[in-house]
């Protein structure tokens, strides 16, 4: 007998089996944290958002519909948490600038070469939906069909978001060859 699918585990969790949730967490925590880290570019914030994401899974288990694909449902929750955190950070930074306080900044990763930092800075300037599409397509290796399923949009809309993100990156990066 093979291991249960994510959907089977989620249905078992909805019925009260705590072990099923722990198995889902063990299966998906690394990938979700990687996604969140690339979205917010802040390791400690990504860790907090990982916990927030799985707490939301616990709270939303009563609304989970059997047969729903678990991974896209989970990543939708994670993406929403990242967008909320980015909006909050923008408000805090705007308030800090208005108050003449020093703006907060995200420290670069240790050993980060100049070109990589330039690309990461450019990624942060993209609107969240474009950044998400670019990261999922180019970093995570997702197909546009998978991105469309995650965001519950058409494949064409997923391609358009990514394309607009690539175009904006080309403008922002100027001298660099390939974003």
């Amino acid at each position: 007998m093979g291991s249960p699918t994510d959907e089977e585990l989620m249905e078992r969790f909805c019925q009260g089996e705590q072990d099923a949730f722990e198995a889902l967490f063990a299966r998906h925590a690394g990938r979700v944290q990687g996604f969140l880290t690339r979205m917010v570019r802040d390791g400690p914030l990504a860790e907090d958002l990982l916990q927030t994401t799985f707490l939301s899974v616990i709270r939303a288990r009563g609304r989970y519909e059997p047969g729903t694909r678990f991974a896209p449902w989970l990543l939708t929750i994670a993406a929403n948490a990242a967008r909320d955190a980015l909006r909050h950070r923008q408000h805090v930074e705007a308030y800090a600038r208005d108050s003449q306080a020093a703006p907060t900044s995200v420290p670069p990763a240790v050993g980060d070469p100049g070109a990589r930092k330039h690309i990461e800075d450019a990624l942060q300037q993209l609107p969240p939906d474009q950044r998400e599409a670019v990261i999922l397509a180019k970093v995570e290796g997702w197909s546009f069909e998978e991105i469309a399923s995650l965001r519950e949009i058409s494949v064409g809309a997923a391609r358009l978001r990514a394309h607009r993100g690539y175009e904006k990156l080309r403008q922002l990066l100027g001298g660099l060859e390939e974003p």
Side-chain angles (χ1 to χ4, degrees), residues 19 79 94 153 174:
D19 291 348
I153 57 175

Side-chain angles (χ1 to χ4, degrees), residues 24-170:
L24 287 168
F25 183 85
R27 246 183 225 182
H28 294 279
R31 185 174 187 185
V32 171
Q33 184 164 1
F35 169 74
L36 290 167
T37 300
R38 284 184 287 283
M39 283 294 290
V40 300
R41 224 176 106 207
D42 180 335
L45 177 58
E47 288 177 25
D48 290 345
L49 293 174
L50 175 69
Q51 299 305 316
T52 299
T53 297
F54 278 94
L55 183 58
S56 294
V57 168
I58 292 169
R59 290 179 177 155
R61 71 178 177 250
R63 294 186 309 269
Y64 178 80
E65 295 180 24
T68 301
R69 289 182 48 223
F70 179 77
W73 184 73
L74 175 64
L75 282 176
T76 298
I77 293 170
N80 289 338
R83 277 199 276 316
D84 289 346
L86 290 170
R87 269 193 301 272
H88 176 73
R89 184 164 58 190
Q90 285 176 336
H91 291 298
V92 168
E93 288 175 354
Y95 179 78
R97 279 190 303 274
D98 290 345
S99 300
Q100 301 301 320
T104 58
S105 63
V106 178
V110 176
D112 203 16
R116 181 175 173 171
K117 180 168 180 354
H118 191 67
I119 291 169
E120 289 175 354
D121 289 343
L123 268 172
Q124 293 306 307
Q125 294 179 46
L126 296 179
D129 62 334
Q130 292 175 14
R131 181 181 327 124
E132 179 182 53
V134 168
I135 290 171
L136 288 174
K138 291 295 183 185
V139 178
E140 293 288 328
W142 283 36
S143 70
F144 290 115
E145 291 78 11
E146 292 171 318
I147 296 168
S149 176
L150 168 69
R151 298 307 309 145
E152 296 179 348
I153 57 175
S154 69
V155 174
R159 286 181 197 275
L160 183 60
R161 287 179 183 184
H163 176 73
R164 287 181 177 163
Y166 303 148
E167 289 301 314
K168 179 77 171 169
L169 283 174
R170 281 187 196 97

